[in-house]
Amino acid sequence: MIPWKALSGLLLLVGSLQQQTWAMESKGHVSVVIVGATGDLARKYLWQGFFQLYGEQVSSGHSFSFYGAALSEPEKGNPAMSEILKGLACPADMAPERCALLKDQFLKLSQYRQLQTAEHYAALSAEIREQLKQEGLVEAGRLFYLSVPPFSYADIAEKINSSCRPDPEVWLRVVLEKPFGHDYESALQLSKDLKKFLKEEEMYRIDHYLGKQAVTQILPFRHENRKFLDPIWNKHHIERVEIVMKETVDAKGRTHFYNQYGVIRDVIQNHLTEILTHVAMEIPVNRSSSEEILKSKLKLFGSLQRLAKGSAVIGQYQAYNSEVTVELNKTADYISITPTFAGVAVYIENSQWDGIPFILTSGKALDERVSYARVLFRNQVFCTQNIVSVHCKPKQIIFHIGQGTLKYPAFLVSKNLFKPQLPLSGWKEVTEYTNVSLFGQPLSEYYVYTPVAQMDPYAVLISHIFQAKRDSFVSAENLLASWNFWTPLLDGISHEYPRAYPGGADNANLLDFELQGNEVSFVHEAVVLLSPVQGGASSESFQITQGKYRTNEMVTAWAEELVSRLASDLHMAAEEAVKRSGQFHLALSGGSSPIALFQRLVLHHYTFPWKETHLWMVDERCVSLTERGSNFRNLHDNLLQHIKVPYFNIHPMPVLVNQRLCVEEDGGAESYEKEMSRLINGTSFDWVLLGVGDDGHTASLFRGCKLDVLENKLVALTESPFKPHQRMSLTFSAINKAKNIRVLVLGKGKHEMITQLSRVKDDPKKWPITGVKPSNGKLVWYIDYEALLG
């Protein structure tokens, strides 16, 4: 038997909802359509957010219908959607009876629809109109939330426009999820495609960080405390601003998306840049005007200093490449240079911020999950004796977005700055401190404010969509301005090798970086040498010692540092040779490994003695020198066209003689040998740079080469198992006469070969690289960390 009190309460609730339903008629009916309704985002956040919106608006005078839509037929889509709706939760402070009633009503108002063709959209529109007619309702608006991949946006927008657009007096809102392009051109194209079917005011581009409670309150906080902040919110008082989002998770399971985008496109161009605008933009006079706030953001974008390659440092956690290889079905020699970590220094060219670095940092596989914006002020106080005085401690304001040791969103203001006004309603001051420190200071040294109740950012933004609060979303102008700012940097680093890092606490200080003028660089640029141990790497594995590999000297480091060291060693050897004999003879191999070295020489070694340097080829493919497959073309594109070297000092291999490629009778190999004998003392190169193939070949000396035939030659025609099969190559006789031989090995794809080579005996017929044995010179292996340890 139901107790009378409970029964009467339930009757009151039902009566209340009936009254609310009658009241709804005055404000009109809203149809919500979630496209992609059974996907991961909808399951985790969207249905819960719309349920929360319904709970908030049930007494506002609006009525609702909710349509879950996807490509699947109803037989498949209905059960999936029903399972999601069963898991909806009410706010903790809501009475169970009211919660049960709200859920029941919401479930009755929700139905699944297959939306694939224009006819499906037309049928949905007809159903909405029929419902309005039958129930005597006036339509207020239609809200489409597109939780689908961006490539389908234009197609869906066209179908909405042609088959499901409401009458002109009824509002239409279409919500779009990032990514909105991957650079300026793609974002511009997407914007043009959408504008064919939707007006700008009808589009709501979501960046869920704009729904984070700490982010939503940055502008109100700045406004409420302008009496304290206006005098100090500038370059004269602020040392730097740090905007950070760190993650402990890796990209496993997301590499299909992540390998195309990387950390800058994934979170820095959007989430962290939006936070930057909230910290640095001018606060409009009319803060209630979305248009004024968006204009102020756009003005800030116009003041951002152009980014160059030196504005950022990038890294990639050690296991990433193997994850990509497995998930994307790549071959074993595939190497991804997608960054999973980035630190970027952004500068604003205006009178308020000129010269102040905004440091934007994000990465995966780091030591903790946390996000925040930290404004660090200059401290002009000098404490003569009591250095622990509150006046001598750092002055900072922290907009703590979430996670970390603090766990919850908060504003923290150093007590040696000022006591702030409370943010808007819904926030409280924290007066009981746990044993937690932030940036070396206990919580007791801050004024701390936190939300009374934590809210999911999607729930916040869904509410803002309903309210048409457009400043919580990304406008087309601001989107394009952001991509216009970030694209030059992305282009600049597109061929850069990121620094490898092991992940988690083992990263230690490997990713620390510093400002040098307006550029940034990793703090530890010295080469890190490792012992060739097996197994995973940790911070204990890194030793500043000279290693050995196959009884020869070995230098090993992160790829970036290794190439830097190799370039410096080459530069030093060139200067010594020029000082000794007036010239430097350098022989370079083909392949992709030397490209990073060429780039380093071009960008960082301006004083290299190119005028006295003779450039020779270690090997060449039997193709025209202008073809992309040519080793000489590779050398030209990545080095020669960027330096000043005398024309007569460049010595390509004569693979094309008498309009024929690599014909024995034409004597191309003999001609090159004669040229070497004429110009090089004793035909002994000063430096020879080699690579190693996965099969152990070097130069164009492959397994099965007739070494006895080549023994008395310096240059010979050879056969390759790979196309093009014909090659011209220096022989071991020429290579081993060199004064210095360096072997460069980069990337995880070479790990198996390097491991095998470390165990085999000298057998040039099977492992040609083992035939490299300088007669009087020195052989040094340069092997990067990934090739050595995998």
Side-chain angles (χ1 to χ4, degrees), residues 620-623 629 702 718-727:
E620 183 58 275
R621 299 171 178 184
C622 291
V623 297
F702 296 90
T718 65
E719 289 287 325
S720 163
F722 314 107
K723 290 183 178 180
H725 298 298
Q726 285 185 299
R727 308 289 176 96

Side-chain angles (χ1 to χ4, degrees), residues 465-501:
I465 295 164
F466 188 75
Q467 299 166 26
K469 194 174 183 299
R470 293 188 54 79
D471 57 287
S472 295
F473 303 90
V474 183
S475 70
E477 279 187 311
N478 285 324
L479 173 68
L480 294 175
S482 178
W483 275 121
N484 189 49
F485 173 65
W486 285 103
T487 297
L489 173 65
L490 291 165
D491 290 344
I493 64 173
S494 61
H495 299 295
E496 292 291 303
Y497 284 90
R499 170 177 292 197
Y501 60 95

Side-chain angles (χ1 to χ4, degrees), residues 333-578:
D333 60 350
Y334 175 77
I335 297 175
S336 171
I337 57 173
T338 299
T340 62
F341 167 86
V344 188
V346 175
Y347 290 86
I348 301 171
E349 294 179 323
N350 64 25
S351 58
Q352 182 179 5
W353 296 110
D354 193 31
I356 302 303
F358 284 71
I359 301 168
L360 278 57
T361 305
S362 186
K364 291 189 175 294
L366 301 181
D367 59 326
E368 66 173 333
R369 183 186 180 204
V370 67
S371 50
Y372 61 83
R374 179 191 182 208
V375 182
L376 186 63
F377 291 83
R378 305 179 197 277
N379 196 341
Q380 310 293 357
V381 176
F382 177 77
C383 295
T384 306
Q385 290 185 212
N386 186 10
I387 58 172
V388 296
S389 165
V390 67
H391 301 295
C392 277
K393 293 183 176 178
K395 298 180 177 182
Q396 51 197 335
I397 295 176
I398 302 161
F399 303 108
H400 193 271
I401 297 161
Q403 297 87 42
T405 54
L406 197 57
K407 307 298 183 192
Y408 50 80
F411 289 169
L412 300 96
V413 179
S414 296
K415 288 186 174 176
N416 57 358
L417 267 174
F418 60 86
K419 182 172 174 57
Q421 302 290 324
L422 266 172
L424 296 182
S425 60
W427 287 64
K428 64 181 180 182
E429 184 173 3
V430 176
T431 53
E432 295 181 6
Y433 305 109
T434 55
N435 188 25
V436 171
S437 293
L438 276 182
F439 304 106
Q441 292 180 271
L443 285 189
S444 58
E445 294 186 3
Y446 298 97
Y447 296 112
V448 183
Y449 302 91
T450 188
V452 173
Q454 293 191 44
M455 293 180 64
D456 177 75
Y458 277 97
V460 172
L461 291 174
I462 285 170
S463 175
H464 288 183
I465 295 164
F466 188 75
Q467 299 166 26
K469 194 174 183 299
R470 293 188 54 79
D471 57 287
S472 295
F473 303 90
V474 183
S475 70
E477 279 187 311
N478 285 324
L479 173 68
L480 294 175
S482 178
W483 275 121
N484 189 49
F485 173 65
W486 285 103
T487 297
L489 173 65
L490 291 165
D491 290 344
I493 64 173
S494 61
H495 299 295
E496 292 291 303
Y497 284 90
R499 170 177 292 197
Y501 60 95
D506 283 341
N507 295 334
N509 55 15
L510 290 171
L511 298 178
D512 292 351
F513 57 93
E514 62 185 343
L515 292 163
Q516 296 179 340
N518 282 7
E519 296 191 346
V520 293
S521 60
F522 285 115
V523 171
H524 300 283
E525 289 286 31
V527 174
V528 181
L529 304 177
L530 299 99
S531 297
V533 296
Q534 298 300 314
S538 71
S539 55
E540 286 78 23
S541 308
F542 309 148
Q543 303 171 19
I544 312 299
T545 57
Q546 187 72 44
K548 291 281 185 181
Y549 182 76
R550 293 187 55 83
T551 73
N552 297 109
E553 286 186 25
M554 175 188 68
V555 177
T556 184
W558 310 111
E560 177 189 350
E561 293 166 336
L562 187 72
V563 170
S564 175
R565 166 69 180 267
L566 178 60
S568 297
D569 291 350
L570 174 59
H571 192 159
M572 188 181 301
E575 289 184 338
E576 289 175 357
V578 170

